[in-house]
Amino acid sequence: MTDRKKVTLPSLMRKMADGSPITMITCYDYAMADLVEKAGIDIVLVGDSLGMTMLGYAGTLPVTMDDMIRHTQGVRRGSPMSWLIGDMPYMSYQPSVESAIRNAGRFMAETGCDAVKLEGGAEMADRMAGITRAGIPVMGHLGLTPQSVSALGGFRVQGKDAAHARKIVDDARALEEAGAFSILLEMVPDRVCALITERSSIPIISLGSGPQAHGQLLIFHDMFGLYPRFKPKMAKVFGNAGEVILNGLKQYVAEVTGRQFPQPEHWFGIDDGQMDELKRSLGE
Ligand code: KIV
């Protein structure tokens, strides 16, 4: 447990108003959440990127509501004070406003999260408005939206030409009007992100979209060398935990095969008298 105060929507809005950068990270299980909590990170996203980072899928589309609920429950237990967001997985909100409200409600009731996130612009404004009307805070997600990666032509920067950038600006406005409490901009050019940030009355969070947003997001596994397939340009490695763990595992293999592990401090004993009695009972 830490002595931090619970992060709330008003405390996030105060940070934005004060010009104090908001910190956000993805997180997928209890042990990671405990560290994130101790570091005092404001917003924790249980992203459907867990399909890639935790489950080894090539993308996020196979992730289910049940996957998301299970992981979000673990993260909530490890990080009770952060503002916790559950990421709505593929096809949990796209089919209808009703499916969006029902699944957002499942997240809130079954995990104790504080909010949900969904991907998409003006075309998702009715889902956003429906969830908001149900009393559930929703974050929008524009730019590179991994659930639409096929339609977007791959994992690439979005809004590099004026027309596409204008669409992202308009989408941000539509989401804000629909009631989003915040918008994440993923892989949008820095000056487009700055322009949206200037015009926004809700916090804009950047993932690879430059320094002028109200806050920054990174993916946990990218920050610590834990994702073996690739490292995106926008990810700064803050420590190579992957290397530390791999070296530890190699040493473990060497010590077990070399009979250096375990040592007496790593096992449990029994009194001589009790051992004698056991052997006697076995006729030895
Ligand atoms: O699933 C996720 O982690 C996300 C981030 C890429 C923003 O949605």
Side-chain angles (χ1 to χ4, degrees):
M1 283 298 267
T2 62
D3 56 5
R4 61 187 302 222
K5 278 204 182 124
K6 175 85 184 92
V7 179
T8 61
L9 208 42
S11 72
L12 290 172
M13 296 306 286
R14 260 195 314 276
K15 273 199 138 182
M16 174 186 156
D18 295 348
S20 170
I22 295 169
T23 53
M24 177 168 172
I25 193 169
T26 66
C27 185
Y28 314 106
D29 68 23
Y30 170 79
M32 290 160 66
D34 177 64
L35 298 173
V36 161
E37 179 80 1
K38 286 171 179 153
I41 291 180
D42 298 311
I43 304 181
V44 176
L45 170 69
V46 184
D48 64 353
S49 51
L50 67 80
M52 300 164 79
T53 56
M54 302 297 285
L55 302 175
Y57 296 129
T60 59
L61 303 198
V63 175
T64 65
M65 269 305 288
D66 287 345
D67 292 331
M68 294 305 303
I69 295 279
R70 175 59 61 89
H71 283 269
T72 308
Q73 287 168 336
V75 172
R76 177 83 292 175
R77 286 191 279 267
S79 182
M81 295 302 179
S82 62
W83 178 258
L84 180 62
I85 302 179
D87 203 9
M88 305 275 288
Y90 187 55
M91 288 301 145
S92 67
Y93 59 96
Q94 287 93 341
S96 64
V97 174
E98 199 207 316
S99 66
I101 298 172
R102 197 172 294 288
N103 284 313
R106 255 198 89 185
F107 256 123
M108 301 297 283
E110 295 179 32
T111 73
C113 68
D114 300 296
V116 297
K117 171 173 89 58
L118 55 80
E119 298 181 7
E123 72 285 0
M124 287 296 148
D126 58 350
R127 275 68 162 177
M128 182 81 53
I131 296 171
T132 305
R133 271 198 308 275
I136 301 172
V138 202
M139 173 181 256
H141 180 169
L142 296 172
L144 177 72
T145 45
Q147 292 175 15
S148 312
V149 69
S150 179
L152 296 176
F155 289 92
R156 54 171 65 167
V157 179
Q158 301 295 311
K160 284 180 85 167
D161 61 82
H164 189 185
R166 175 62 199 261
K167 165 129 180 44
I168 298 174
V169 171
D170 292 345
D171 279 342
R173 169 66 52 201
L175 294 184
E176 188 176 337
E177 283 172 5
F181 79 86
S182 173
I183 296 172
L184 170 68
L185 294 181
E186 178 171 352
M187 288 176 75
V188 169
D190 58 345
R191 284 186 287 169
V192 178
C193 176
L195 191 145
I196 293 171
T197 303
E198 270 165 31
R199 292 158 173 244
S200 177
S201 63
I202 55 173
I204 302 296
I205 307 291
S206 156
L207 174 56
S209 303
Q212 305 209 44
H214 302 109
Q216 296 293 323
L217 165 67
L218 279 180
I219 306 290
F220 192 104
H221 282 53
D222 294 339
M223 287 176 72
F224 296 108
L226 290 169
Y227 188 63
R229 291 206 185 117
F230 59 84
K231 185 189 97 53
K233 173 181 188 292
M234 62 218 181
K236 177 173 173 183
V237 178
F238 281 81
N240 202 332
E243 199 174 285
V244 171
I245 293 169
L246 179 60
N247 288 337
L249 291 170
K250 286 179 176 167
Q251 193 177 337
Y252 172 62
V253 169
E255 289 193 15
V256 170
T257 51
R259 299 188 187 282
Q260 291 139 325
F261 179 87
Q263 293 294 317
E265 64 268 30
H266 304 124
W267 68 65
F268 304 92
I270 181 171
D271 286 344
D272 290 347
Q274 295 298 324
M275 194 63 201
D276 290 344
E277 193 177 323
L278 171 64
K279 285 185 176 167
R280 263 197 311 279
S281 78
L282 293 167
E284 286 181 13

